[in-house]
Amino acid sequence: MKLLCTCPGRHGDILTCLPTLRAISERCGLPIDLAVAPPYAGVCELAQEQPYIGQAFALDDWAIVESAPIVTVAP
């Protein structure tokens, strides 16, 4: 089984969610894959260094609207 979590937020939101991903990983006994929006792909390198993260990557065709709150745009 694999687990994938997505985070549509910005850099700070992504970093803030990492402790939750760690808790999910510990609870399930599996590494968590993390998908983020393309503008925030830079945080993937840091996330990838965490032992509870399997893969961290940007979803290239994930369009978001940068407003408050950030929402996903339907294709």
Side-chain angles (χ1 to χ4, degrees), residues 3-73:
L3 298 174
L4 171 68
C5 290
T6 60
C7 186
R10 296 180 174 149
H11 291 106
D13 298 324
I14 297 166
L15 295 175
T16 302
C17 83
L18 291 179
T20 301
L21 298 182
R22 183 180 63 222
I24 293 169
S25 174
E26 289 172 356
R27 176 76 174 182
C28 296
L30 296 168
I32 304 290
D33 292 340
L34 172 63
V36 300
Y40 308 106
V43 78
C44 292
E45 186 176 336
L46 174 67
Q48 190 76 47
E49 293 297 318
Q50 308 312 307
Y52 50 89
I53 298 291
Q55 295 180 344
F57 55 91
L59 294 173
D60 293 332
D61 54 349
W62 188 0
I64 60 170
V65 173
E66 297 211 26
S67 62
I70 290 179
V71 296
T72 299
V73 179

